């Protein structure tokens, strides 16, 4: 459970008090909130997977995001040296379960979804997912863990 969840009443009071100070014009929009960095996209992804899958969020959340021991990870494809395209799923050293990955490719404006078992990434610090520079499809050892859509990472 995050500190926000533990102290939701306090959090609500604090936000209700501070939002008018932050946006004195009263124009509180999602775009402004996102531009100001007030929402964690990764946290939204964790909550979305939890809600769609029906698997509760882990109350501690240190080694796993969900109570089934799995972790929701997000990454973005970038252009690396020598015309390589890749995405890095990081901070997995202490993870012990399935990785439910959401990878955005800004070059194709497409999302890729992967379910990577712990046996595959083991004690790695990060998983590097490579993309073919012409087709922009996932290549290499993680390609077989790609699934078709968001709902499939929620099963």
């Amino acid at each position: 459970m995050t500190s926000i969840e533990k102290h939701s009443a306090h959090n609500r009071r604090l936000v209700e008090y501070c939002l008018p100070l932050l946006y004195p014009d009263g124009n509180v929009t999602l775009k402004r909130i996102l531009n100001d960095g007030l929402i964690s996209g990764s946290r939204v992804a964790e909550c979305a997977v939890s809600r769609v899958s029906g698997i509760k969020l882990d109350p501690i959340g240190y080694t796993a995001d969900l109570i089934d021991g799995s972790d929701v990870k997000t990454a973005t494809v970038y252009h690396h040296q020598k015309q390589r395209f890749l995405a890095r799923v990081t901070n997995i050293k202490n993870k012990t379960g399935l990785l439910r990955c959401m990878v955005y490719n800004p070059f194709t404006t497409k999302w890729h979804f992967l379910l990577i078992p712990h046996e595959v990434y083991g004690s790695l610090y990060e998983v590097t997912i490579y993309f073919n520079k012409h087709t922009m499809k996932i290549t290499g050892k993680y390609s077989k863990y790609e699934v078709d859509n968001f709902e499939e990472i929620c099963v």
Side-chain angles (χ1 to χ4, degrees):
M1 180 176 293
T2 66
S3 60
I4 289 174
E5 291 165 326
K6 287 179 191 173
H7 308 290
S8 62
H10 171 72
N11 187 57
R12 177 180 293 277
R13 285 190 302 270
L14 190 59
V15 169
E16 287 173 348
Y17 181 83
C18 290
L19 270 182
L21 300 172
L22 182 59
Y23 303 109
D25 61 4
N27 187 16
V28 182
T29 64
L30 182 58
K31 182 177 181 179
R32 288 182 84 182
I33 289 172
L34 287 169
N35 286 343
D36 288 340
L38 300 180
I39 296 176
S40 164
S42 294
R43 182 65 180 160
V44 172
E46 292 166 6
C47 291
V49 169
S50 173
R51 180 100 21 108
V52 171
S53 69
I55 304 168
K56 293 184 180 194
L57 293 166
D58 187 285
I60 298 170
Y62 176 67
T63 59
D65 293 324
L66 305 173
I67 61 170
D68 69 348
S70 67
D71 210 67
V72 178
K73 290 301 206 176
T74 62
T76 301
V77 176
Y78 67 95
H79 186 215
H80 192 58
Q81 61 192 10
K82 298 181 184 176
Q83 297 194 356
R84 294 184 94 177
F85 292 86
L86 57 94
R88 294 183 199 271
V89 176
T90 60
N91 298 321
I92 61 171
K93 176 69 174 154
N94 295 318
K95 303 305 174 188
T96 57
L98 181 70
L99 296 180
R100 301 169 187 270
C101 304
M102 299 175 63
V103 179
Y104 181 69
N105 188 334
F107 304 101
T108 62
T109 65
K110 181 183 177 193
W111 284 95
H112 296 268
F113 305 97
L114 298 95
L115 289 171
I116 305 174
H118 184 260
E119 301 77 43
V120 173
Y121 68 89
S123 60
L124 296 175
Y125 287 96
E126 69 180 28
V127 165
T128 303
I129 301 166
Y130 293 97
F131 289 76
N132 179 289
K133 66 182 178 181
H134 301 292
T135 66
M136 293 307 265
K137 292 184 178 180
I138 296 177
T139 62
K141 69 179 181 178
Y142 299 111
S143 63
K144 64 183 170 184
Y145 301 104
E146 185 173 19
V147 296
D148 293 331
N149 55 49
F150 177 82
E151 288 74 18
E152 288 189 49
I153 65 168
C154 296
V155 291

